[in-house]
Every structure is written in C-alpha cells, then in structure tokens.
Amino acid sequence: MEKYNPLVVENKWQSFFEKNQIFKTKKNLGKKFYCLEMFPYPSGNIHMGHVRNYTLGDVIANYKRLKGYNVLHPMGWDAFGLPAENAAIQNKLHPVVWTKKNIAVMKSQLQRLGLSIDWDKEVSTCDENYYKQQQSLFSFFFKKGLVYKKESYVNWDPIDQTVLANEQVIDGKGWRSGAIVEKKKLSQWFLNITKYSDELLESLENLTGWPEKVKLMQKNWIGKSIGCEIDFLTNNNEKIKIFTTRPDTIFGASFIAIAPDHPFTQFFESDGNFLKFKKEALKNIAIESSLSKNEKLGFKTPYFVHHPFIKDKKLPIYVSNFILLDYGTGAIYGCPAHDQRDLEFALKYKLEVLPVVSPNKSQDIKIKDEAYVDDGFIINSDFLNDLSVNEAKRKIIKIVEDKKIGNSKTIYRLKDWGISRQRYWGCPIPILYREDGKIIPVPEKDLPITLPEDIDFNKPGNPLENHPTWKYTKCPETGMKAIRETDTLDTFVDSSWYFLRFCSPKEQKLPFNEENVNYWMPVDQYIGGVEHAILHLLYSRFFTLALKDEFKFKFSEPFQNLFTQGMVCHPTFKTEKGDWVFPKDVKFEDGKYFLNNKLKVLKGDSQAMSKSKKNIVDPDDIIKIYGSDAVRWFILSDSPPDRDIQWSDSGIQGAYKYVQKIFRTCEKILDYQKTNENFDKNFLIKVDILVKEISDCVEKFQMNVAVAKLYTFLNLLNDEIEKLGVGKKSLIDVFKKYLIIISAFIPYVANECWEKVTKKTDLAIQEWPKFDNESLRKDEFNVVVQINGKKRAIINAIHNETEESIFSKSLAIKNIKVILEKTTITKKIFVKNKLLNIVTNEK
Ligand code: ANZ
C-alpha cells in the first residue's frame, strides 16, 4: 500500500492553493464573515503560539466558507518597532532589510501551514501606503482636537542620551548603557482617549461575544470612580484640593498627602531633604501597580491644613510616594482606619488612627494592622453619626457643596494615550514646527512623510533627530523655515486600525473605503492572546469611536466576538549549572535526562514556550518530519482552545498517525467491493450526528471536542468497511462528507483524498454537509431491555435505531446473555426509541 508522504502531498497542494487563489475573498454580496487573528510582529520565525492562533482562526474561516459565507480572512505585519532597530545596531542590518527578510520567511511559513488566507489583502504597517493613511488619520485627529502636546515624564538614559521604553529599564538601569535611568520631562503628543471614557465603559455591556474576564480588565483599566473634591485651607493661606471616593470618612482624616511634584511643593522646593526625598520617590512613580506594594515613604512638610468640620483640628501635610500626580487632584486626606495604604503610612509616622465606620450602629471598633474597608454605619463623626456609608456620602457632599468648599466629581483611572516615541523605526508624525512658533500638520498632498534611509545608528539618541538634513524643511504655505517632528508614533497606533484597512487595503485616496468597511465590519471573530486584553483592544475601540462619524461607520465596536487562546507550554530543561537547554538537545536514558554530550540535565515544570527559557519547539522542525496537517491536528486536539496546551512528542506522533489513517482509509474505500446498497441505516444516522456535533463544536470553539469525535468516527468508518456493512456508493458519499469536514481542520490530506475519490480538485468550493434535522430531533434515546417483562438493562441508542441493532447490543450485556443462553426466545416486542421486550419459553 502506498505510504502517505505529507511533505510531497503538502507541497503539491500548497502550490495548487496559491496558483488557483483558492482562498481569495469573493466579490458577491451574501452573508459575510470577517475572521481575524491578531497580526504578528515579524521577529524572524513563527512560533507555536502563532501556529495555535492561526490554526484556530483557520478552522473557523474554512467552516464559514464551506457554510456559504463570503469570508474575509486576511493577514498582515505589525512591522514597525524597537527590535528592528536593535537588530540594526547589533547586526548592522538596516531595519527595512531586517524586517522585509523576516516577513518573507514568516509568510512562507504561514503558507506552508495551509492557512486559508487571502494574501491579496496583505498589509504591512511599515509600507508607505499604510503609514501615509495613518499620517492622514493623525492630521484628522489634530484637526478634531483629539491630539495635543503636553509635558510628560519619560525614562531617560543619560549616557545613551535616549528615551527608554519601560521594558528597556532593567533594575532601574538602561539595558545597554547600564546607566541609572532618570525621569525626565519631555513635550510629547497625546491622543485624547479619555474623551471617550464613558462610551468605552458603557458599550462594554453590548459586547456579549467577549470573555467576561477581558471586559472586566477593560472596566478596571478605565476605572470609573465616583466621589468628590474638597478644598483644605493651609496655614499659609493656600488651598489644597483633594479627591476622595469616601467623603463619609472625613471625620477620620488624620493627615494630608500630596504627590512629589504637586504644585504645593513650591513652598519648600529648595529644602535639601525634600529634594533628596523627591528624587527617590520619582524613581518608580511611573508604575501605578507598584504603589500599593511599595514601602510608603513620606516627607513631613512644615505646613498643615485646618479640618473643615472639626474646629481647631490641624492635619499635617506630607509629601508621599504613594500619591500619583495625575490621578484625581494629586492630593488626598488620609483616613488610616479605613484605607490600608493610609494605615501603613500612619503606623510608620505615628499618626492618629480614628475609626469612623463600624459594622454595627453606635459601636466602636478597634483597628490594629488591618483597615476596615467594608460597608457599615458612621461613628465618631458628629452630624454624620448613625448614617449608612451611602447616606453619609450623600449628606457630606451636599454640605461640602453648600459651603462651597468642594463638588461631587467622577474621575477615571484611564489616562490620555502618550503616542510619541523618540525612535527611527516607526511612522513619522506629520507635524511641522514653523520658525514663528506655529505648529502645523503637514498638508494632505505632501503625505507621506517618509523615513530617510541613510541613518546612523552609531550615534546615541534618536536617529531622526541626528540626521543631518531630514528635519529641515519649509512651511508649504508661507515658505517660512520649519522643522519636522522627529518623534514617531507608538506602534500601538499602527495596530489600532489595521482591521479597518484590511477591508480595502489598496485604497489610495483614503484610509478606508466607506462601502467596503461597512460591508465587512465589525470583525465577526477576533482571535488573539490575552496579553492584548487591555491596551490593544481599548485603543482599537477608541479609534473606531473617534473615526465613526467622519468615515460614516455603521458600527461602533470593532470586534463582535473575541476569543483569547491559551499558551502552548513545554517542560523546561536546565544543566546543573543552571543554563537553559533546548528540548531537542535532550536525550532520555535510564530514567535520566542528558544533553547530547552526556552532560546531566534537570527537567523543570512546563511553562509557556519562550525563547528566553529555550523550552521551544520550532514549528519548522516538526513540519519537516510530520507535515503541517499533523501539527495543526495536534495543536487543536489536546485542550480547550482557551486553556494552555502541553506540547508532547507522543501527541504529535498520535496526530501524525491519524493523518496516515485517513489516507489508508481512503485507499480501502477505493478498493471496497460491496456494491449492494442494502444495509443497516444506523450508520448513516451516525454521520448525520457527526455533522451536527462538529458544527456545534466549531461554533462554540470546542475544537478539541471536535477532534475527539473525528477520531472516533474514523474508527467507526473503518469498522463499517471491515464488516462490509454499507454499500460502496453510500460509503463514498459518507467519506466525502467526512473529507469536507476535516478539510476545515487539516486541508492537505483532505484535498489529496478528495482528489483520489472524486478525480476532481474542487474540495474548497464544496458545501458543508447538511444533516437531516428530523432524524436528529433528539440525538440519543434510552431503550429499556426487558426479558419477559422484567427490566434487565438500559441501552443507549440513537434515534430510530433498529430492532436488530438493539437486540445485538443486548446480547453483548453479560446478564442478558447468560439468561438467554438457557432459554429459547419465542417473540420480541419492540417499541422504537423506547423498549425491547424479549419473551422466552421460560415460565
Ligand atoms: C479618603 C479615603 C478614605 C479614601 C478611605 C479611601 C478610603 P479609587 O476608588 O481607586 O479611585 N486617592 C485619590 N487620589 C489619589 C492619588 N492621586 N494617588 C493615590 N491615591 C489617591 O481610589 C480613590 C481613593 O484613592 C481616594 O479616596 C483617595 O483616598 C485615594 F477610607 O480618600 B480616599
């Protein structure tokens, strides 16, 4: 028998797919389906995470295509970004060259996987065509007042004279120079995402096709807080405005704390101790999440405020490292009894801890090292006593407003999005600084502003800034001298609208063609890693809202259904010295692990595959041995797609065997001899059930369950062939249905077998098999088996299963068999889907 050679077969069909543009998006307008997986950063090679993401999407795209949908399944490249610049510095390769080379390699790897991508729609964010439109979107935002400049802190490397991204700061030092990183204020461009805070928050509710956990992460990130602002009068007659969400606790206030760069610090800005404190505090102020964990430090100022409701009560003013300048008003009153951070601070600086909320009315409580943060009733608070927390909030806000010392206020944790990057390999910001001080957007007709190719990466700092001529230009209207903006855009901007561009990637005049965008959008199924659950998705939602009116979008949310897939994991290996080792270099002998050169290796726990721990399996290596179908099959098979998957050698071998078995089954079918179409129809019903079940599984993203069912079904099919059950014509019909189904999962072997069976190459344009709804009204029935009216067993049967079939199943049950062996059957009473009563001659 011919052995299935995946490499030969897959090569053949890969060129067939490409030559015939099998997956090209059709033009006809029918029901549409836009299936999108997050586009990759072209880092060099695809990894197993990509394989999983894109295979999942591919199953859905194929399924919908076979179901008669007009499917858009595009792919592109998130091609700007820092690694290209680092590679340029380290390997002396220009970022363009490095990026294009990687794209070429990765594209051929994706094609080898047999993904049903319409490559005509490919976009790359570093193409002029793409970033020209992005620059025009920037100008649009500028005209709408949605983009503005303001001073903001950056990580500054004083030796390299450059701004560092957070991930380039390692233990407070620059990753390349090792210099201690400073906080420096630079004037930067910001997108006014906070204008949409409420809309972004509210429409989360409509996203019923999103995982709850992602919606919650977005909600927390936007962070709506309802509270109030209160002015406190200082002893030097200034006002410090604080923001609080718990004004009900005002009688428990024991200090004021302000951010290290709060304007009030001007009154002691030359105090040496304060300056020392400020430098230390600013070091990690950028990272909000560290605020509650870090040790709380305070600088006691010589000033105090008067408590607005307690006569003669003075509250000291501290500067503290746990207060953010750009949240609320950058100042708080501390109420240690009811806020953990305030309590830690108060214990450290020996400040008063006065409980003002108690779980029970008029009952004092003791606070030791844990603040009481739950609901309750107000105590020790004069006119607020005995009120519930909510009643007290309402009352105190009213009083504060009447006394004109504050207002109710809603604030958001979400901040405007800083989009300036002092980098070369990004989209140039199309802005000119004219010599008369005016800032003007580059006119549309002069776009794109392209990157210069002749750049010098040896000099420290931003290569665009250092370029001898690039930034010098003239104002196109007045002819005045002007300087170009040398910052480029954060690459998150590139990925905030690529899904819109895919709808009309070749459109020259506009970022998107109105008709196409309204036809395809929203994306029906978006698939990606949960690491993008916050920023990328929020920015994309913001872009969609901000562009909606101008471009006449008929949708407000870009992604109707979102799926976040789990990681691909593999055990880690280390030498005894602690060096990571690639799994492919590890041998297992006598219960121990060794490196090729016999050095002992220790096996660690399984973790998400990552280059840094070397626990990676290269898709190329695996494909070379087992073929793409086997990789696809395995990656779909093991776990539910939203959970992590454990990569294993035996798993991939099992998948490989399955592909082989499909091919062998195909050969057996071609040789099949029974032409008589008289047979038990139960088998055909099982095919209907299979079609229904697989359809359900794909719709519900239960690919692993679908795979398990397809394993079982192939065995069933082989049993049927073995026992010469079904007739040849029906067998081929069934096998064709099966091939259409598996073509969504493993296209290569499916196409090969299809060609063998039908002598045609038209599998991709077949229809997903229909199933007979009537026969599947209910999938399974419990049929009671009786002997002489006495219940002996319950048999799990399919709809309308025949008497013979139920009877033969009964004979396989031991106690029934034993009884029947001793007697003679006189009659059988059979009620379909319900009962089989076997009557014997025994009295
Ligand atoms: C007094 C108080 C008493 C507070 C109490 C809490 C509990 P969310 O809900 O997260 O918005 N806060 C206000 N501005 C701050 C800033 N710039 N940096 C650090 N903390 C700040 O938190 C609002 C609460 O966080 C505010 O309410 C304030 O502390 C603090 F029993 O005021 B509260």
Side-chain angles (χ1 to χ4, degrees), residues 193 196-207 215-226 410-412 414 538 541 545 557:
I193 183 169
Y196 294 87
S197 302
D198 243 342
E199 271 176 277
L200 288 166
L201 188 68
E202 250 141 51
S203 77
L204 280 174
E205 262 176 45
N206 306 329
L207 297 175
K215 288 196 276 184
L216 187 65
M217 283 156 93
Q218 298 240 328
K219 184 169 171 232
N220 291 341
W221 190 262
I222 298 168
K224 183 172 181 172
S225 287
I226 302 167
T410 298
I411 65 162
Y412 296 86
L414 182 68
L538 197 64
R541 297 178 62 220
L545 282 178
E557 284 288 342

Side-chain angles (χ1 to χ4, degrees), residues 248-485:
D248 53 303
T249 63
I250 183 111
F251 284 91
S254 58
F255 64 95
I256 294 287
I258 60 175
D261 36 12
H262 189 279
F264 189 73
T265 57
Q266 64 179 291
F267 300 110
F268 42 90
E269 67 187 349
S270 48
D271 179 332
N273 286 335
F274 168 65
L275 287 173
K276 229 163 74 196
F277 172 84
K278 181 174 172 178
K279 201 169 168 204
E280 199 54 33
L282 279 180
K283 263 191 193 157
N284 43 26
I285 204 92
I287 307 157
E288 191 190 321
S289 59
S290 65
L291 285 181
S292 49
K293 290 183 219 123
N294 279 0
E295 192 191 356
K296 306 204 166 37
L297 298 175
F299 168 80
K300 189 169 183 200
T301 72
Y303 297 92
F304 62 84
V305 299
H306 300 279
H307 192 291
F309 299 105
I310 307 177
K311 202 162 174 272
D312 296 333
K313 181 154 186 168
K314 296 168 186 168
L315 309 177
I317 302 174
Y318 281 81
V319 182
S320 176
N321 67 343
F322 73 93
I323 307 300
L324 293 163
L325 180 67
D326 51 3
Y327 185 64
T329 58
I332 65 152
Y333 74 74
C335 175
H338 304 292
D339 183 283
Q340 193 57 31
R341 295 179 301 180
D342 296 352
L343 182 60
E344 285 167 33
F345 192 82
L347 292 177
K348 181 159 182 173
Y349 294 103
K350 310 222 165 9
L351 299 162
E352 186 189 15
V353 181
L354 175 67
V356 289
V357 183
S358 160
N360 304 305
K361 252 187 200 176
S362 321
Q363 207 174 78
D364 226 340
I365 59 165
K366 293 248 166 323
I367 303 287
K368 271 174 132 181
D369 48 12
E370 206 175 315
Y372 178 74
V373 296
D374 293 338
D375 213 351
F377 297 93
I378 306 298
I379 53 171
N380 301 327
S381 299
D382 194 352
F383 54 83
L384 295 179
N385 280 342
D386 290 345
L387 295 177
S388 70
V389 163
N390 277 336
E391 288 164 346
K393 277 185 188 170
R394 279 197 291 274
K395 182 163 182 180
I396 192 76
I397 292 176
K398 170 126 196 352
I399 293 174
V400 161
E401 286 180 343
D402 288 348
K403 279 185 78 173
K404 300 209 174 354
I405 55 166
N407 301 87
S408 70
K409 177 101 184 167
T410 298
I411 65 162
Y412 296 86
R413 177 149 275 121
L414 182 68
K415 299 195 185 71
D416 275 345
W417 171 16
I419 49 171
S420 288
R421 296 291 178 274
Q422 293 69 32
R423 306 266 162 232
Y424 165 75
W425 193 233
C427 168
I429 296 179
I431 285 286
L432 299 175
Y433 299 93
R434 222 161 58 184
E435 60 181 334
D436 63 351
K438 243 188 131 188
I439 301 180
I440 48 172
V442 176
E444 200 79 16
K445 66 175 177 34
D446 294 337
L447 297 180
I449 300 302
T450 56
L451 289 166
E453 284 194 14
D454 53 332
I455 32 145
D456 182 1
F457 282 109
N458 292 320
K459 271 199 208 155
N462 176 1
L464 286 182
E465 180 75 44
N466 293 337
H467 191 279
T469 55
W470 185 79
K471 67 177 175 186
Y472 302 105
T473 182
K474 280 196 177 127
C475 168
E477 279 159 30
T478 59
M480 273 191 237
K481 278 193 199 155
I483 287 188
R484 285 192 197 293
E485 172 61 81

Side-chain angles (χ1 to χ4, degrees), residues 722-741:
E722 209 77 346
K723 68 175 191 215
L724 291 181
V726 68
K728 180 151 185 168
K729 188 178 156 297
S730 303
L731 180 62
I732 290 194
D733 274 354
V734 168
F735 192 55
K736 277 166 67 180
K737 283 188 189 175
Y738 167 79
L739 290 178
I740 296 172
I741 292 175

Side-chain angles (χ1 to χ4, degrees), residues 466-619:
N466 293 337
H467 191 279
T469 55
W470 185 79
K471 67 177 175 186
Y472 302 105
T473 182
K474 280 196 177 127
C475 168
E477 279 159 30
T478 59
M480 273 191 237
K481 278 193 199 155
I483 287 188
R484 285 192 197 293
E485 172 61 81
T486 55
D487 285 354
T488 51
L489 288 171
D490 175 9
T491 55
F492 267 119
V493 176
D494 309 345
S495 53
S496 295
W497 68 285
Y498 78 109
F499 46 89
L500 296 165
R501 183 70 183 165
F502 274 142
C503 302
S504 49
K506 303 210 167 90
E507 172 71 50
Q508 293 289 327
K509 291 195 205 88
L510 289 165
F512 11 76
N513 166 296
E514 183 188 323
E515 192 193 333
N516 290 1
V517 119
N518 281 321
Y519 173 67
W520 287 114
M521 289 294 293
V523 172
D524 294 276
Q525 183 65 62
Y526 197 32
I527 308 172
V530 76
E531 67 277 16
H532 293 301
I534 299 181
L535 295 183
H536 163 59
L537 293 174
L538 197 64
Y539 293 157
S540 301
R541 297 178 62 220
F542 158 65
F543 259 63
T544 306
L545 282 178
L547 299 172
K548 186 176 175 215
D549 292 342
E550 175 75 10
F551 294 94
K552 303 194 181 66
F553 294 167
K554 295 197 181 115
F555 51 93
S556 319
E557 284 288 342
F559 311 120
Q560 179 126 40
N561 294 292
L562 172 73
F563 189 86
T564 51
Q565 97 263 12
M567 299 283 183
V568 186
C569 301
H570 195 283
T572 46
F573 293 98
K574 257 183 184 179
T575 62
E576 283 175 317
K577 266 170 54 198
D579 297 327
W580 299 108
V581 174
F582 285 111
K584 66 175 175 184
D585 297 334
V586 176
K587 298 275 167 314
F588 186 65
E589 272 168 36
D590 301 333
K592 294 198 181 94
Y593 295 95
F594 296 96
L595 207 57
N596 293 340
N597 55 11
K598 292 284 175 192
L599 198 70
K600 211 169 144 206
V601 172
L602 305 170
K603 185 178 176 190
D605 52 349
S606 185
Q607 297 185 27
M609 284 190 187
S610 104
K611 268 191 191 162
S612 62
K613 296 193 177 122
K614 293 199 178 168
N615 61 336
I616 47 173
V617 172
D618 185 340

